[in-house]
Amino acid sequence: MGGLFTGIALNRAGHDVTIAEQSTGDLRSRGGGIVAQQSIRQFLSRHDIVDPTKITTRASERRFLTANGAVRTSTADSMVFTSWDAVYRQLRAAFPDDQYHTGRTVTRIRATDGTVRFADGDQTTAELVVAADGGQSTARKQLFPDTEPVFADYVAWRGVVPEAALSDTVVDAFDGRFTFYQGEQMLILAYFIPGADGSTAPGGRRLNWVWYDTLTGRERETIFTDTTGTKNQLSVSPGQLQAPVETRQRERATETLPPVFADLVAATARPFVQAIYDLQSPQMTVDRACLLGDAAFVARPHTAAGTAKAASDAVELKAALDRHSSLGGALASWDEARTNYGGRLVAQGKRMGDERLSLGS
Ligand SMILES: Cc1cc2nc3c(=O)[nH]c(=O)nc-3n(C[C@H](O)[C@H](O)[C@H](O)COP(=O)(O)OP(=O)(O)OC[C@H]3O[C@@H](n4cnc5c(N)ncnc54)[C@H](O)[C@@H]3O)c2cc1C
């Protein structure tokens, strides 16, 4: 996403941009819900990509439930949601195919002269290299080898369910609302997002849930070892949770969640899990290379800021390049502003997460 935000912003400003994406698979089929922050909606409309109302759903109430499902608090609150795949699809369509290369894995970046090496032995040189290669960034490991993700001692179990697979009771409970249940060292929330085909009409949407939970006595390695036996660091994809891990979490849902949330988890065919972690790079640029989006900073999802930050990193990079006559000057001013912002966001995410899960740090 960060690569596409940057590619579109710089391409439209007349720069000659190439995106190298390691994946050959269909990224569109993955991902869940995201809060459609203003920076995302502005990016889509200002670049004439899509009218954001066409790919978003809305809630007008923030509701907390009690353990037995009664309404504990209800507050008027306007929230806009979308899905990772709906935004990705629009961004991808707005970037020229002949400048977007899949199956291109970057293995090394030489920041001093902008040389990029690929896994197939090929190499190229660019005036500016933007590494938007995510939380496990190869570029960051190379530029800042001491910067590591720090596990926050809890995980996010997640799921996305087509509206048609839900009972009327569940649809009615969540429709038009951002709904939460705060339990003992856990927090679950749900909201409607567009359907897999992008539909935002009632009946064609999906219900997205995120359940922050501690490890509940399990080893992290047990949860993150998938059906192929691979020990993942940060996530297990839909359909790849080991059966005993999935069964235990489903049982926990029945035992601990309000009935509508328990029903929602039960209706989820392929739940998945992501580790919650903090990641903070000391800076975002080195010579002709910069880290953007999750590659530089990952704030906990309570901030609902990952995709929005990638969009604003990209917009601000383009603005800095416009403002400054030299690349060095542009990168220095962008780095200072965005590193400060990223640091503040990570700190905010820690406060929000530790408070909401009562982790006491
Ligand atoms: C498949 C997927 C689903 C997601 N779903 C959600 C979601 O539902 N909700 C949410 O809030 N956030 C989601 N995210 C995270 C969210 O997209 C990010 O917080 C935000 O978009 C900023 O991410 P990014 O672009 O910096 O990094 P990412 O979105 O992690 O993208 C990094 C990209 O770099 C590519 N890459 C990595 N290493 C290399 C390399 N060496 N060479 C070439 N390419 C490389 C990856 O294949 C990936 O496409 C998802 C990310 C992915 C990849």
Side-chain angles (χ1 to χ4, degrees), residues 12 85 99 125 136 159 229 232 260 275 288:
R12 301 270 175 103
D85 48 11
Q99 293 167 245
T125 304
Q136 301 198 67
N232 299 282
V260 279
R288 290 181 177 280

PDB file of all heavy atoms in Angstrom, residues 12 85 99 125 136 159 229 232 260 275 288:
ATOM      1  N   ARG A  12       2.343  11.088 -10.574  1.00  0.00           N
ATOM      2  CA  ARG A  12       1.467  12.187 -11.000  1.00  0.00           C
ATOM      3  C   ARG A  12       2.209  13.525 -10.987  1.00  0.00           C
ATOM      4  O   ARG A  12       1.816  14.462 -11.672  1.00  0.00           O
ATOM      5  CB  ARG A  12       0.231  12.281 -10.083  1.00  0.00           C
ATOM      6  CG  ARG A  12      -0.607  11.027 -10.053  1.00  0.00           C
ATOM      7  CD  ARG A  12      -1.689  11.053 -11.124  1.00  0.00           C
ATOM      8  NE  ARG A  12      -2.409   9.786 -11.145  1.00  0.00           N
ATOM      9  CZ  ARG A  12      -3.612   9.596 -10.622  1.00  0.00           C
ATOM     10  NH1 ARG A  12      -4.234  10.585 -10.024  1.00  0.00           N
ATOM     11  NH2 ARG A  12      -4.193   8.414 -10.699  1.00  0.00           N
ATOM     12  N   ASP A  85      -8.541  -4.673   0.909  1.00  0.00           N
ATOM     13  CA  ASP A  85      -8.582  -5.048  -0.511  1.00  0.00           C
ATOM     14  C   ASP A  85      -9.280  -3.990  -1.371  1.00  0.00           C
ATOM     15  O   ASP A  85      -8.879  -3.757  -2.509  1.00  0.00           O
ATOM     16  CB  ASP A  85      -9.177  -6.451  -0.721  1.00  0.00           C
ATOM     17  CG  ASP A  85     -10.463  -6.696   0.028  1.00  0.00           C
ATOM     18  OD1 ASP A  85     -11.042  -5.732   0.559  1.00  0.00           O
ATOM     19  OD2 ASP A  85     -10.900  -7.863   0.098  1.00  0.00           O
ATOM     20  N   GLN A  99       4.775  -0.095 -15.096  1.00  0.00           N
ATOM     21  CA  GLN A  99       5.751   0.404 -14.115  1.00  0.00           C
ATOM     22  C   GLN A  99       5.691  -0.399 -12.815  1.00  0.00           C
ATOM     23  O   GLN A  99       6.352  -0.064 -11.839  1.00  0.00           O
ATOM     24  CB  GLN A  99       5.478   1.892 -13.819  1.00  0.00           C
ATOM     25  CG  GLN A  99       5.754   2.802 -15.016  1.00  0.00           C
ATOM     26  CD  GLN A  99       5.187   4.191 -14.795  1.00  0.00           C
ATOM     27  OE1 GLN A  99       4.284   4.628 -15.501  1.00  0.00           O
ATOM     28  NE2 GLN A  99       5.689   4.902 -13.805  1.00  0.00           N
ATOM     29  N   THR A 125      19.641   1.266 -10.794  1.00  0.00           N
ATOM     30  CA  THR A 125      20.013   2.421  -9.977  1.00  0.00           C
ATOM     31  C   THR A 125      18.938   3.489 -10.117  1.00  0.00           C
ATOM     32  O   THR A 125      18.395   3.695 -11.203  1.00  0.00           O
ATOM     33  CB  THR A 125      21.356   3.003 -10.463  1.00  0.00           C
ATOM     34  OG1 THR A 125      22.316   1.959 -10.422  1.00  0.00           O
ATOM     35  CG2 THR A 125      21.841   4.119  -9.557  1.00  0.00           C
ATOM     36  N   GLN A 136       8.504  -6.164   8.189  1.00  0.00           N
ATOM     37  CA  GLN A 136       9.702  -7.025   8.224  1.00  0.00           C
ATOM     38  C   GLN A 136      10.724  -6.573   7.177  1.00  0.00           C
ATOM     39  O   GLN A 136      11.496  -7.377   6.647  1.00  0.00           O
ATOM     40  CB  GLN A 136       9.285  -8.474   7.980  1.00  0.00           C
ATOM     41  CG  GLN A 136       8.295  -8.955   9.027  1.00  0.00           C
ATOM     42  CD  GLN A 136       8.212 -10.463   9.076  1.00  0.00           C
ATOM     43  OE1 GLN A 136       9.157 -11.137   9.453  1.00  0.00           O
ATOM     44  NE2 GLN A 136       7.070 -10.988   8.657  1.00  0.00           N
ATOM     45  N   GLY A 159     -11.060 -11.776  11.931  1.00  0.00           N
ATOM     46  CA  GLY A 159     -11.894 -12.504  10.983  1.00  0.00           C
ATOM     47  C   GLY A 159     -12.756 -11.557  10.184  1.00  0.00           C
ATOM     48  O   GLY A 159     -13.008 -10.415  10.596  1.00  0.00           O
ATOM     49  N   GLY A 229       3.772 -26.023   9.274  1.00  0.00           N
ATOM     50  CA  GLY A 229       4.878 -26.194  10.223  1.00  0.00           C
ATOM     51  C   GLY A 229       5.827 -25.005  10.247  1.00  0.00           C
ATOM     52  O   GLY A 229       6.779 -24.971  11.019  1.00  0.00           O
ATOM     53  N   ASN A 232       6.047 -18.650  12.020  1.00  0.00           N
ATOM     54  CA  ASN A 232       5.957 -17.264  11.573  1.00  0.00           C
ATOM     55  C   ASN A 232       6.279 -16.320  12.729  1.00  0.00           C
ATOM     56  O   ASN A 232       6.014 -16.631  13.886  1.00  0.00           O
ATOM     57  CB  ASN A 232       4.537 -16.971  11.072  1.00  0.00           C
ATOM     58  CG  ASN A 232       4.165 -17.852   9.901  1.00  0.00           C
ATOM     59  OD1 ASN A 232       4.578 -17.616   8.786  1.00  0.00           O
ATOM     60  ND2 ASN A 232       3.387 -18.899  10.163  1.00  0.00           N
ATOM     61  N   VAL A 260     -23.431 -12.090  21.004  1.00  0.00           N
ATOM     62  CA  VAL A 260     -23.344 -11.696  19.578  1.00  0.00           C
ATOM     63  C   VAL A 260     -21.906 -11.787  19.054  1.00  0.00           C
ATOM     64  O   VAL A 260     -21.690 -12.149  17.896  1.00  0.00           O
ATOM     65  CB  VAL A 260     -23.888 -10.279  19.264  1.00  0.00           C
ATOM     66  CG1 VAL A 260     -25.393 -10.288  19.146  1.00  0.00           C
ATOM     67  CG2 VAL A 260     -23.359  -9.230  20.189  1.00  0.00           C
ATOM     68  N   ALA A 275       0.546 -10.781  15.409  1.00  0.00           N
ATOM     69  CA  ALA A 275       1.218 -10.349  16.637  1.00  0.00           C
ATOM     70  C   ALA A 275       1.098  -8.831  16.742  1.00  0.00           C
ATOM     71  O   ALA A 275       1.157  -8.134  15.734  1.00  0.00           O
ATOM     72  CB  ALA A 275       2.689 -10.743  16.587  1.00  0.00           C
ATOM     73  N   ARG A 288      20.445   8.223  -0.363  1.00  0.00           N
ATOM     74  CA  ARG A 288      19.391   8.233  -1.396  1.00  0.00           C
ATOM     75  C   ARG A 288      18.275   7.229  -1.122  1.00  0.00           C
ATOM     76  O   ARG A 288      17.476   6.926  -2.011  1.00  0.00           O
ATOM     77  CB  ARG A 288      19.997   7.861  -2.757  1.00  0.00           C
ATOM     78  CG  ARG A 288      20.888   8.919  -3.296  1.00  0.00           C
ATOM     79  CD  ARG A 288      21.452   8.540  -4.631  1.00  0.00           C
ATOM     80  NE  ARG A 288      22.243   9.643  -5.112  1.00  0.00           N
ATOM     81  CZ  ARG A 288      21.729  10.720  -5.698  1.00  0.00           C
ATOM     82  NH1 ARG A 288      20.451  10.819  -5.919  1.00  0.00           N
ATOM     83  NH2 ARG A 288      22.526  11.698  -6.093  1.00  0.00           N
TER      84      ARG A 288
END
